[in-house]
Amino acid sequence: MKYKGYIYQFIRFAFIVLMFYAAIHKLMDFTQFYNDLLNSPVFGNKHLARFVSAFVPIIELGIAGLLISAKYKEFAMYLASGLMLIFSIYIIWIMEFSADVPCSCGGIINNLTWQEHLLFNTGFLLLGILGIYIQTKKHRKFYKE
């Protein structure tokens, strides 16, 4: 089934673009990203906000790089999906327990409401799960032959 390969490549490319875009935007407007995290009830501590504001873009760039790599792309799909799960849990926590907190995502994604952002993240999480399923099924087929 050739179309599964195309779907997998689309998912992979979508994650590469998302991770690079998000990381580059955070790095370009690092002060705003740090301040948004500092105003977050989760990362309100300046030391934690400083660590997260440096760590998240590095992780996003690392995942994008691994997704580009032929050798590590499958592992990277797990990492990308896991990161989207963590981001989604953070959004749910903000929606449930916090008042008006600025989104620290940046770019056009920053213009989304928290509900829209959760839908966006959930969509990418589902794409990641589909990508993992496709790559796992492909491996099972390979080893059975």
Side-chain angles (χ1 to χ4, degrees), residues 5-15 127:
Y6 293 126
I7 293 170
Y8 179 77
Q9 293 307 327
F10 169 79
I11 293 168
R12 193 171 144 214
F13 180 74
F15 269 112
L127 281 176

Side-chain angles (χ1 to χ4, degrees), residues 18 23 26 28 48-49 52 65 79 117:
L18 176 66
K26 287 173 181 126
M28 286 176 49
L48 185 57
V52 171
L79 292 176
H117 199 115

Side-chain angles (χ1 to χ4, degrees), residues 24-45:
I24 296 302
H25 194 277
K26 287 173 181 126
L27 292 172
M28 286 176 49
D29 202 0
F30 186 79
T31 303
Q32 182 65 46
F33 179 51
Y34 168 76
N35 287 332
D36 288 344
L37 289 175
L38 196 57
N39 291 324
S40 166
V42 177
F43 306 110
N45 174 305

Side-chain angles (χ1 to χ4, degrees), residues 32-94:
Q32 182 65 46
F33 179 51
Y34 168 76
N35 287 332
D36 288 344
L37 289 175
L38 196 57
N39 291 324
S40 166
V42 177
F43 306 110
N45 174 305
K46 72 177 182 175
H47 300 293
L48 185 57
R50 189 175 302 134
F51 173 75
V52 171
S53 64
F55 186 68
V56 169
I58 291 168
I59 291 297
E60 290 170 336
L61 287 173
I63 291 172
L66 290 172
L67 282 164
I68 292 170
S69 160
K71 185 174 182 180
Y72 297 107
K73 66 184 179 192
E74 294 162 358
F75 176 65
M77 189 64 70
Y78 284 97
L79 292 176
S81 300
L83 192 60
M84 293 311 293
L85 177 63
I86 291 168
F87 289 163
S88 296
I89 290 169
Y90 172 75
I91 291 169
I92 292 168
W93 192 88
I94 291 292

